[in-house]
Amino acid sequence: MKPANNIWIQKEQCPCGDWKCFIKYEGEEQGQACQPTKNGTSLSSSSEVIFAPYVGQIFKSYDEAFEFYSNFARRNGFSIRKARSTESHNLGVYRRDFVCYRSGFNQPRKKVNVEHPRDRKSVRCGCDAKLYLTKEIVNCVTQWYVSQFSNVHNHELLEDDQVRLLPAYRKIQEADQERIILLSKAGFPVNRIIKILELKKGVQPGQLPFIEKDIRNFLRTCKKTVQENDALLTEKRVTDMMELLEACKAMAERDGDFIFDFLTDANGKVENIAWSYGDSVRAFNLFGDAVQFDITYQSITYGMLLGLLSGIDNHGKPIVFACALVQEENPHAIVWALQTVVRFMRGRPQTIVTDLEPGLRDSIVSELPNTKHVISLWYIMSKLSSWFSLPLGLKYSEFKSEFEMVCYVESTEDFGHLWSHLITKFGLGSDKHISLLWSCRACWAFSFIKDCFVARITTAEYMRSVDSFLKGVLNEQTCLQVFFEQVGLAAKLGYGAKEDLPFLHLKTCMPVEEHAQGILTPYAFSVYQHELVLSVQYAIIEMAKGSYVACHYKKVDEEYLLLWIQEGEQIHCSCKGFEQSGVLCRHALRLFITKNYFQLPYHYFPIRWRWENSFLPMDQESSRLVKEEYYRALHSLTDALLTESLFSKERFNYAHKELTALLDQVKNMPVDEVPEILTNNFSES
């Protein structure tokens, strides 16, 4: 029953602590085994029309015929079973009989010597409904045809909500089998397992495709197998952990900067292990101001929890700092993992971003008292549907919109007032998830964390990239040693793999844009450029004592207060964009432009976002200058082409056709190093 390979899943237990509450992740199949009908009953996932069999109907195999007849029977309120088969020496089995489940009569059983024998009533009543198949060979091809068919029953047919309870249709899918075994091993009784599966699949009570009796029979049948497999898996886990430890020792011998640590249990077996790389430590010195600690993935094969310490470099790429594997999900193990990976870094981050894990909150407070703990709003928004879509129903979309608005309120007083109004409006005062969010509001609400530097690791873009990385290395074929190698490879690729960085041309022709382009990396410059382009939509109104107000020209945005300090050329905006990301916001940029700045003060270009603070070689700068020359030449040509093509429809159609073909051809060309070019070559063309 247990898989041989190491399989990782995202933890589904809700951080609210309720054993009945599970989180559904995006893209997860939900309730595929059962689909509610208009009457609240369930049918199979197939909604196609099943026609009645007829004499002479041809099937490629008897299995195909049995499936067809079984689907027909389910739609008509009964089930079928295989009866006799007839075979010959030449043809083998040449006849198959399928009959109604109530066909025939039970033969009286021999009495056993027990004090109170059970008197079971038979369901068989001599029903004559049947389908007989006969094999024939036509043009050397074997096929089966219906030789007899009868749909006359001598008993009542069942309704949709009853037919699904027939033994023939009560199937426990493989995914459900795995979850049942895990829950049973965790000590959950069968009635609670039923409730958990109903919540997981999102079906009404009693609408699963199997019943409590089936679970009991399944657990009884596989009990011995589970015990045997548990012993094998325990041995496999010990072996794999020893292999991982040996791989760490071998890596430490090859690379003096590699570092690892581990804990053993009372029997001397490896219990927890963590490791990091020399490049990771050096990267932490550059980009360890804001980090993420992810413990959302768990191995269902070994029961181990993965802790990943990561961050973002100045090119916007996820960067791995350290990994930890712990045997049990408990506060002691989490504290050890956090202590160890931070010790590897030889420093403390300004900010650490995590999920909604109560154990993590307590660990960070005790182990990193001077580090600000931030819970990413992306994590919270991904859980809202699981928490509130069912109780709120059609009101959920409205709630989600208002919830997100409340999250970004600037004042803590306004946040408290709007939060109370929100939960009162939607009647969520007693909801356990609302209580959980309120208890940790200081870690996720904007009004509490607006001064925290997070280096853009709370954006949905970064979160998705980390999730994609984890899913890439945590595949079903990954044993612990292979996982170790994959993480090491991914870490090296993140530390300075030379890649063709995107070219970003100037959009505003403002001196402050050109100045920033030569300082910031393309990723940071793209964020800066986006804010600069939007800055022209704001008006700056001067107030008293060096204060200003930034107003959007269409009033689609709220007003923002800016404070100008002449000494040190400092601007403080109420949106706290620079404090959070290290890139100036559109409101501050607008004020600098209003004050006729052609170059911004260098303290508004943090070291972590500059070219000079990069693992990538600085010769990328020469490549950028060449690409700028390319851009100007092509931009001039396209401007002329656009002007000439708009004189007539014939010109437009021709230009459109040729450009489409040219674009496809260019996309298919290999990408080589940018060659040296001469500007006069372009001027001649």
Side-chain angles (χ1 to χ4, degrees), residues 40 191 285 383 676:
N191 61 336
N285 292 330
K383 294 175 172 61
E676 293 294 332

Side-chain angles (χ1 to χ4, degrees), residues 237 241 270-272 302-305 325-329 333:
R237 180 175 62 188
M241 287 294 283
V270 179
E271 188 175 24
N272 303 333
Y302 301 113
M304 303 184 70
L305 195 67
L325 290 172
V326 296
Q327 292 285 358
E328 296 181 4
E329 185 181 354

Side-chain angles (χ1 to χ4, degrees), residues 104-156:
F105 297 94
N106 264 15
Q107 298 297 324
R109 298 182 178 179
K110 293 181 180 180
K111 294 184 179 180
V112 292
N113 296 324
V114 292
E115 186 176 352
H116 299 288
R118 289 184 296 177
D119 185 16
R120 293 182 177 177
K121 185 178 180 181
S122 174
V123 298
R124 297 191 180 184
C125 60
C127 180
D128 194 42
K130 60 194 175 187
L131 183 146
Y132 294 168
L133 288 175
T134 301
K135 182 167 70 174
E136 63 179 357
I137 300 177
V138 179
N139 297 327
C140 299
V141 177
T142 301
Q143 63 185 23
W144 296 79
Y145 69 92
V146 179
S147 56
Q148 292 186 53
F149 172 68
S150 172
N151 197 34
V152 178
H153 300 265
N154 64 353
H155 57 89
E156 290 185 3

Side-chain angles (χ1 to χ4, degrees), residues 32-214:
Q32 63 178 5
C34 293
Q35 293 183 354
T37 64
K38 291 184 293 185
N39 299 325
T41 60
S42 62
L43 296 174
S44 65
S45 59
S46 175
S47 59
E48 61 182 4
V49 178
I50 305 296
F51 296 100
Y54 57 90
V55 174
Q57 186 174 4
I58 303 296
F59 295 97
K60 295 180 180 179
S61 67
Y62 58 80
D63 287 332
E64 179 185 354
F66 182 81
E67 182 180 0
F68 180 87
Y69 191 26
S70 179
N71 289 334
F72 169 79
R74 178 162 187 170
R75 295 299 178 92
N76 287 272
F78 67 102
S79 67
I80 63 172
R81 58 183 172 85
K82 296 176 181 178
R84 66 177 182 176
S85 60
T86 308
E87 62 179 314
S88 69
H89 179 72
N90 295 328
L91 293 176
V93 176
Y94 67 90
R95 175 171 163 173
R96 290 277 187 176
D97 295 351
F98 306 143
V99 297
C100 174
Y101 77 113
R102 302 192 68 175
S103 173
F105 297 94
N106 264 15
Q107 298 297 324
R109 298 182 178 179
K110 293 181 180 180
K111 294 184 179 180
V112 292
N113 296 324
V114 292
E115 186 176 352
H116 299 288
R118 289 184 296 177
D119 185 16
R120 293 182 177 177
K121 185 178 180 181
S122 174
V123 298
R124 297 191 180 184
C125 60
C127 180
D128 194 42
K130 60 194 175 187
L131 183 146
Y132 294 168
L133 288 175
T134 301
K135 182 167 70 174
E136 63 179 357
I137 300 177
V138 179
N139 297 327
C140 299
V141 177
T142 301
Q143 63 185 23
W144 296 79
Y145 69 92
V146 179
S147 56
Q148 292 186 53
F149 172 68
S150 172
N151 197 34
V152 178
H153 300 265
N154 64 353
H155 57 89
E156 290 185 3
L157 299 178
L158 303 178
E159 298 293 334
D160 290 341
D161 61 340
Q162 297 173 320
V163 71
R164 69 181 183 85
L165 299 177
L166 293 176
Y169 304 127
R170 299 203 309 262
K171 303 294 183 183
I172 303 180
Q173 301 296 328
E174 187 175 343
D176 293 328
Q177 291 179 8
E178 181 65 43
R179 185 168 283 112
I180 288 170
I181 292 174
L182 290 174
L183 292 173
S184 178
K185 288 175 60 179
F188 289 103
V190 174
N191 61 336
R192 287 192 174 186
I193 293 176
I194 286 282
K195 292 180 181 179
I196 290 174
L197 293 174
E198 288 171 347
L199 290 167
K200 173 67 182 173
K201 291 177 172 291
V203 300
Q204 296 297 320
Q207 296 301 315
L208 289 172
F210 45 84
I211 60 177
E212 189 172 314
K213 176 183 176 182
D214 300 320

Side-chain angles (χ1 to χ4, degrees), residues 279-280 282-284 287-288 290 292 308-314 316-322 462 466 469 490-491 494-496 608 615:
D279 286 336
S280 297
R282 288 185 284 274
F284 185 86
F287 311 116
Q292 179 193 13
L308 181 71
L309 188 71
S310 63
I312 187 173
D313 68 5
N314 56 356
K317 303 294 184 182
I319 192 165
V320 178
F321 293 131
Y462 173 79
V466 172
F469 162 76
Y495 299 139
R608 71 137 28 245
F615 279 107

